[in-house]
Amino acid sequence: MIQKLQQEWFSNVRGDVLAGIVVALALIPEAIGFSIIAGVDPMVGLYASFCIAVIIAFVGGRPGMISAATGAMALVLVSLVAKYGIEYMFAATILTGIIQIILGFLKIGNLVKFIPRSVMIGFVNSLAILIFSAQLPYFKGESWVMYALVALGLAIIYIFPRITTAVPSPLVAIIIISLIAVFTKSDVSTIGDMGTITGSLPSFILPNVPLNLETLKIIFPYAVSLALVGLIESLLTSQIVDDLTDTDSDKNKESRGQGIANIATGFFGGMAGCAMIGQSIINVKSGGRGRLSTLVAGVFLMILIVVLNKFVIQIPLAALVAVMIMVSISTFDWGSVKRLVTIPKSDAAVMLVTVAAVVVTHNLAIGVISGILLSAIFFASQMAKIKVKHKLKNEKHVYSVEGILFFASTTDFLGAFDYKLNTEEVEINFANTFVKDESGVNAIDRVVIKYHQNGIKVNLVGLNENCAHLIEKVAVFNKPGGLESSTAH
């Protein structure tokens, strides 16, 4: 236990602290921007980012992953805030956390293994596109100075590591670009232009909503959507951080941790949040690995807001845009573009549909679910390929079945038999077949009964123990009077 705590908290102190500082700076414009999307005061997003980051550092299941206010969650909250006000948003955030804790105990994190690689790649690539496109509005109405500062920031980010890796290059870029902008009095947009940052700490509040069934009816649909969107994004981001750091994480603990963080956030005047892939990648790329990096990100964010807000508002957006462009470039799986022509067409289609759905809707959950559904359809259609071979063996008609007999393959199975054979007996060999579900048993019922109606006896051979047990339990033809049925169930 002590060794685990040492590993997760203090095995990389210097790297975690420096990475956390970089992430805190990158969180500010994102939190403000997401607050604007949701239609709430900028401080709501900042408080949420502080609370979630600090709490998840202790209770999350993926060390080094950053959680805060996110765009995906803000989009769900837009209509709730517009229709019912911010107090209902706080209540929905608390309920979101409760649902996530329940789902965590139900081990929803185990479902991550059912997400195909093509969906994961589509998820990553779509996020990279969204992160990049989110930076473009910052250039609107700006002079050439903005472009020059962003270009300089990118140059520092990519060149500085060749000199030394002692300090994260994104932090160096933010400091240098900020100094240049301040001392040259460049007319470029700053963090202060995005919204008012008040130097106050979040305080405990109780949502000012009626505690009745009507309130629950209002917030429950939003809370369910928030819980699912948050967990999908968090669990996928957790998987990506696992791959980047070559370590494992506890997905169910992360699900419960997200819930705990959202409950606390709702009571401290914040909006619901989840894991952020962009900031998580910044953290990892800047050297962050442990829980300390997440804690530092949250604590330093609050220090920036409360103590250093006069300096923070002078940071040019160009510096943070450069960091986020670097994140989008490093997030995108460039090799996947080349692999599109070599991987199976079904995988390529799933990847492209996932990307398109996310980019069009700006909703990660819709994209991921679309990709999973399409992948499931392709999988089912592939598994549905069943072969039925007919031959005469010692003057006996023998049908040999190969494949999985389930709901998607029953049509082909039923159409493969000649029910008007001039014979008294037919043998169906299931040695190379697995009868998967009730639909498969129903198909066997229909074949046996059709042959019986034509005066032909059917012998089923080669069934393994599980299939034989399923047929014995579910089939109609082997029950008293079953063969006289005009139709199977």
Side-chain angles (χ1 to χ4, degrees):
M1 183 68 177
I2 295 176
Q3 186 177 3
K4 185 180 180 182
L5 287 172
Q6 172 71 25
Q7 175 65 31
E8 291 186 348
W9 281 96
F10 306 113
S11 61
N12 181 40
V13 173
R14 184 174 160 282
D16 285 346
V17 170
L18 290 174
I21 291 172
V22 176
V23 171
L25 291 166
L27 278 173
I28 294 174
E30 298 276 300
I32 295 174
F34 298 147
S35 298
I36 293 170
I37 290 173
V40 297
D41 186 272
M43 294 306 296
V44 173
L46 291 168
Y47 287 157
S49 296
F50 160 69
C51 291
I52 294 172
V54 169
I55 293 169
I56 208 72
F58 292 94
V59 300
R62 172 63 263 180
M65 188 169 77
I66 305 298
S67 296
T70 65
M73 303 292 264
L75 287 170
V76 178
L77 290 167
V78 172
S79 59
L80 176 63
V81 174
K83 289 179 182 178
Y84 302 103
I86 195 169
E87 296 294 334
Y88 281 85
M89 185 199 75
F90 296 147
T93 297
I94 294 167
L95 183 57
T96 296
I98 294 171
I99 294 171
Q100 287 179 326
I101 291 174
I102 293 171
L103 292 174
F105 279 113
L106 293 175
K107 300 189 182 302
I108 193 174
N110 295 344
L111 298 179
V112 172
K113 63 185 177 184
F114 293 108
I115 299 176
R117 175 172 167 76
S118 52
V119 174
M120 287 289 293
I121 294 173
F123 169 78
V124 169
N125 288 350
S126 60
L127 273 171
I129 294 170
L130 289 182
I131 291 169
F132 180 81
S133 60
Q135 310 314 308
L136 299 180
Y138 295 126
F139 290 94
K140 189 176 180 180
E142 295 289 340
S143 65
W144 64 270
V145 178
M146 174 72 171
Y147 294 87
L149 289 176
V150 171
L152 177 60
L154 286 168
I156 294 170
I157 288 170
Y158 286 109
I159 295 173
F160 189 77
R162 298 182 182 180
I163 302 170
T164 178
T165 55
V167 182
S169 60
L171 179 58
V172 175
I174 292 171
I175 293 171
I176 292 176
I177 299 301
S178 299
L179 291 174
I180 291 174
V182 170
F183 286 113
T184 61
K185 297 182 179 179
S186 300
D187 186 22
V188 292
S189 297
T190 63
I191 288 177
D193 296 326
M194 293 191 68
T196 303
I197 299 178
T198 59
S200 59
L201 287 167
S203 56
F204 183 84
I205 61 166
L206 289 173
N208 186 21
V209 297
L211 296 177
N212 54 33
L213 191 59
E214 189 62 32
T215 299
L216 183 62
K217 287 180 181 179
I218 292 171
I219 65 174
F220 185 74
Y222 291 97
V224 171
S225 297
L226 288 166
L228 294 177
V229 169
L231 288 182
I232 288 172
E233 187 165 351
S234 297
L235 295 176
L236 288 179
T237 302
S238 176
Q239 187 64 49
I240 290 166
V241 176
D242 288 354
D243 295 338
L244 287 172
T245 59
D246 196 26
T247 55
D248 293 326
S249 59
D250 187 335
K251 305 295 189 298
N252 294 312
K253 183 178 180 182
E254 181 62 38
S255 301
R256 298 191 296 271
Q258 292 289 332
I260 294 169
N262 277 320
I263 290 174
T265 298
F267 282 119
F268 279 90
M271 57 195 281
C274 62
M276 305 181 76
I277 187 170
Q279 274 65 22
S280 296
I281 289 177
I282 290 176
N283 192 42
V284 173
K285 296 288 184 183
S286 300
R289 291 293 183 275
R291 295 181 181 274
L292 185 61
S293 61
T294 309
L295 177 63
V296 170
V299 172
F300 192 67
L301 173 64
M302 200 59 356
I303 292 173
L304 289 171
I305 295 169
V306 176
V307 181
L308 304 174
N309 60 328
K310 291 182 180 179
F311 298 100
V312 169
I313 60 175
Q314 298 182 60
I315 296 176
L317 290 176
L320 301 171
V321 167
V323 173
M324 296 311 294
I325 289 176
M326 176 274 291
V327 170
S328 68
I329 293 171
S330 59
T331 300
F332 197 90
D333 184 349
W334 298 98
S336 64
V337 179
K338 295 180 181 178
R339 293 195 299 272
L340 280 174
V341 296
T342 58
I343 61 177
K345 291 180 180 179
S346 58
D347 287 345
V350 168
M351 187 193 310
L352 293 173
V353 166
T354 303
V355 171
V358 173
V359 171
V360 170
T361 65
H362 283 222
N363 190 317
L364 294 166
I366 290 176
V368 171
I369 292 171
S370 300
I372 291 173
L373 289 176
L374 184 59
S375 185
I377 291 170
F378 283 137
F379 177 77
S381 63
Q382 186 69 27
M383 292 297 101
K385 293 178 180 178
I386 195 165
K387 295 180 181 179
V388 180
K389 297 178 182 178
H390 175 224
K391 65 180 179 180
L392 275 172
K393 186 177 181 182
N394 299 327
E395 298 186 357
K396 184 196 296 184
H397 288 275
V398 177
Y399 286 93
S400 298
V401 186
E402 295 180 10
I404 301 175
L405 184 55
F406 68 120
F407 68 90
S409 60
T410 56
T411 301
D412 291 341
F413 175 77
L414 289 167
F417 295 92
D418 183 354
Y419 299 101
K420 297 181 179 180
L421 290 171
N422 185 21
T423 184
E424 295 181 356
E425 188 176 347
V426 166
E427 179 180 293
I428 304 178
N429 192 328
F430 289 94
N432 297 314
T433 308
F434 187 81
V435 184
K436 185 67 177 173
D437 59 7
E438 190 269 346
S439 296
V441 177
N442 175 255
I444 295 172
D445 262 337
R446 292 169 67 181
V447 170
V448 174
I449 291 171
K450 277 188 178 183
Y451 274 123
H452 176 75
Q453 290 169 347
N454 291 328
I456 301 171
K457 180 183 177 183
V458 177
N459 290 323
L460 306 182
V461 300
L463 288 164
N464 63 40
E465 185 179 347
N466 290 334
C467 296
H469 177 70
L470 180 63
I471 290 172
E472 177 67 28
K473 186 169 62 173
V474 178
V476 170
F477 74 86
N478 56 356
K479 306 296 190 301
L483 285 173
E484 307 308 320
S485 303
S486 58
T487 57
H489 59 109

